[in-house]
Amino acid sequence: MSTKKCVLAYSGGLDTSVILGWLQDQGYEVHAVYVDLGQPCEDRDAIMQKARDCGAASAKLIDVREELCRDFAFPVLAWQAKYEQIYLLGTSIARPLISKVCLQVAREVGAVAYAHGATGKGNDQCRFQLAAEALDPTVEIIAPWRIKAFRDAFPGRTELIAYCAEKNIPVKASTAKPYSSDENVLHISYEAGELEELDVNGVELVEFGMGVSPQEAPDESESVTIGFESGVPTTLNGQTVNALEMVERLNDIGGRNGIGRIDMIENRFVGMKSRGVYESPGMTILYDALMYVEQLTMDRDLMHLRDRLAPEVAEMVYYGFWYTPKMDALMSFIKQAQAIVTGEVTLKLYKGNISVDSRSSPNSLYDAEIATMEGGGSYNQDDAEGFLRIQGLPSRVQGTVTPRKY
């Protein structure tokens, strides 16, 4: 009888190191996949070697940083999608890509199962599984934290560390931070631990990894110029850059100016409220920059329709419904909607704030002659009389039939 093969989304941390061993104990041949999303991490070669030393049949590191920015983050940016008004979805965006990469490896090695270390309480289990099952409806999902036998064996950190000692799995002996974090090139999220107490100031507790606080930022503003072609950011300070370079450089620029920190109570897909602290300096700048180019170029009714749909897109990304016909259609819509959104904007960054300095577009719909408050121009104010009589007709009829008290 052949051994069942499994791919494991592997980070090299305590949880996935234990899961790697535990899956082997259950009789699986495990293929470890480290998906490089630009997370600041230890030596990647060392992580791969650790997986092999701990019995992985193979260990692959797959760099998808450019794809993450280009094909996942930038389409969400084009939607101006923010979950519950402020969260830029940095973790959510990455999860369907991780599942895709893991399933690609599963196909290569002939694995039937896909394992991950997400808990049964959070959103990531939903994102991993919904993406994986959409791509391969036959895949077997192994989520050890949803398996009672695993939770009974490892009720806490002490048992996880003891298992590693027994199996000679190297773990870094370090003082646990008072919160947990998840990193990629788009953002870093911080949650759990002391952040579960609402009387704790999240942005003061967290040691942010991507920049300084607004208070520590320079006393002089910094200007940055971003160019867009059909809604896609393509130039930075006059230089053509790829998607990854755009995000990384703006992370540096925004980070040193204290841009992009939020602290929120959010509604998880599984039903509970949770508290998250996030930093996303580069993407925060891009959201504002694109908005200013859209203001010049995008038709009013089209923009308002996009704005009504954007919360729906944010919710789908947050919940994990990336590979769905509805999302496919929405992505086709936004590509068409952004076709005309080409232009350049200069922003000023100052102690956590972003202001617009100048903007221009070859497709600008702004006509100073029409908009001017001065006399003359091509707008005839007499026309407004008939416009308002027609607009007000339903209200006049309604007011006659059912008068309002005032």
Side-chain angles (χ1 to χ4, degrees):
M1 182 178 172
S2 62
T3 304
K4 288 194 295 184
K5 295 180 180 180
C6 168
V7 293
L8 169 65
Y10 180 75
S11 69
L14 180 60
D15 283 22
T16 55
S17 294
V18 170
I19 290 170
L20 173 57
W22 183 82
L23 287 168
Q24 292 173 78
D25 294 342
Q26 309 309 303
Y28 284 95
E29 175 185 300
V30 185
H31 297 264
V33 183
Y34 180 94
V35 183
D36 186 352
L37 302 160
Q39 53 271 55
C41 198
E42 303 97 354
D43 183 336
R44 282 151 167 75
D45 292 336
I47 291 174
M48 293 294 91
Q49 189 58 49
K50 176 180 175 180
R52 288 187 285 268
D53 290 344
C54 294
S58 71
K60 294 179 183 288
L61 184 150
I62 300 176
D63 183 348
V64 295
R65 294 174 298 161
E66 171 73 13
E67 184 179 1
L68 173 65
C69 297
R70 182 191 65 229
D71 298 340
F72 288 77
F74 284 4
V76 175
L77 161 70
W79 270 104
Q80 290 282 339
K82 300 177 183 180
Y83 185 66
E84 296 184 340
Q85 302 184 63
I86 58 172
Y87 173 39
L88 301 188
L89 299 159
T91 295
S92 320
I93 289 167
R95 297 322 194 195
L97 179 53
I98 293 172
S99 283
K100 184 181 86 163
V101 169
C102 286
L103 290 190
Q104 287 170 338
V105 174
R107 190 168 53 201
E108 291 170 15
V109 302
V112 297
Y114 165 37
H116 61 74
T119 73
K121 278 192 170 184
N123 296 308
D124 283 336
Q125 58 170 342
C126 309
R127 299 162 183 158
F128 285 139
Q129 184 160 340
L130 291 169
E133 291 182 343
L135 295 172
D136 179 4
T138 67
V139 69
E140 176 191 350
I141 303 291
I142 303 175
W145 287 114
R146 298 204 304 251
I147 299 172
K148 187 174 185 302
F150 183 87
R151 293 196 307 275
D152 288 346
F154 305 106
R157 188 176 174 87
T158 303
E159 289 80 10
L160 292 168
I161 293 172
Y163 179 87
C164 290
E166 178 190 337
K167 295 278 189 176
N168 293 317
I169 300 170
V171 289
K172 272 205 316 183
S174 62
T175 305
K177 287 184 177 178
Y179 49 81
S180 65
S181 61
D182 179 76
E183 304 117 350
N184 60 44
V185 73
L186 305 175
H187 87 158
I188 304 179
S189 67
Y190 308 89
E191 62 180 8
E194 291 183 22
L195 288 173
E196 291 174 355
E197 303 302 322
L198 300 186
D199 58 356
V200 171
N201 185 311
V203 295
E204 291 178 2
L205 171 70
V206 166
E207 292 180 30
F208 287 94
M210 298 178 87
V212 301
S213 70
Q215 295 91 328
E216 295 168 330
D219 292 331
E220 297 292 327
S221 64
E222 179 174 357
S223 293
V224 59
T225 300
I226 301 166
F228 292 84
E229 291 181 18
S230 298
V232 178
T234 55
T235 62
L236 180 59
N237 292 330
Q239 182 182 4
T240 299
V241 293
N242 65 28
L244 177 60
E245 289 170 331
M246 178 69 73
V247 174
E248 287 184 331
R249 293 189 193 180
L250 286 175
N251 280 340
D252 291 339
I253 295 168
R256 63 176 173 252
N257 286 286
I259 303 293
R261 298 179 173 190
I262 64 168
D263 179 344
M264 70 183 294
I265 305 292
E266 67 200 66
N267 290 293
R268 286 183 181 170
F269 188 19
V270 292
M272 69 189 75
K273 287 186 183 288
S274 66
R275 197 260 191 96
V277 174
Y278 302 98
E279 62 174 331
S280 188
M283 292 305 297
T284 298
I285 294 170
L286 285 174
Y287 268 70
D288 271 36
L290 180 59
M291 175 185 70
Y292 288 119
V293 179
E294 287 177 347
Q295 288 173 355
L296 279 183
T297 58
M298 192 180 279
D299 170 76
R300 178 192 68 184
D301 291 345
L302 176 58
M303 180 186 286
H304 290 182
L305 175 59
R306 190 279 310 272
D307 291 347
R308 291 196 296 274
L309 290 171
E312 183 92 2
V313 172
E315 187 177 90
M316 291 177 70
V317 175
Y318 187 86
Y319 291 172
F321 293 107
W322 186 271
Y323 301 114
T324 60
K326 180 175 165 185
M327 185 65 89
D328 293 341
L330 288 165
M331 287 305 179
S332 295
F333 170 91
I334 202 61
K335 188 173 183 180
Q336 176 64 38
Q338 291 283 342
I340 205 74
V341 183
T342 294
E344 191 172 77
V345 60
T346 298
L347 303 174
K348 280 190 173 178
L349 314 178
Y350 179 70
K351 292 187 178 296
N353 297 292
I354 303 173
S355 61
V356 60
D357 199 33
S358 66
R359 68 212 101 174
S360 64
S361 169
N363 303 327
S364 175
L365 301 177
Y366 175 77
D367 187 328
E369 185 179 312
I370 292 176
T372 182
M373 297 300 287
E374 302 299 324
S378 58
Y379 183 91
N380 185 349
Q381 295 188 48
D382 293 349
D383 294 342
E385 186 68 40
F387 170 77
L388 280 167
R389 291 294 294 172
I390 296 297
Q391 291 292 323
L393 175 61
S395 295
R396 292 198 303 275
V397 172
Q398 194 70 44
T400 301
V401 175
T402 54
R404 293 177 181 270
K405 292 181 180 178
Y406 63 95

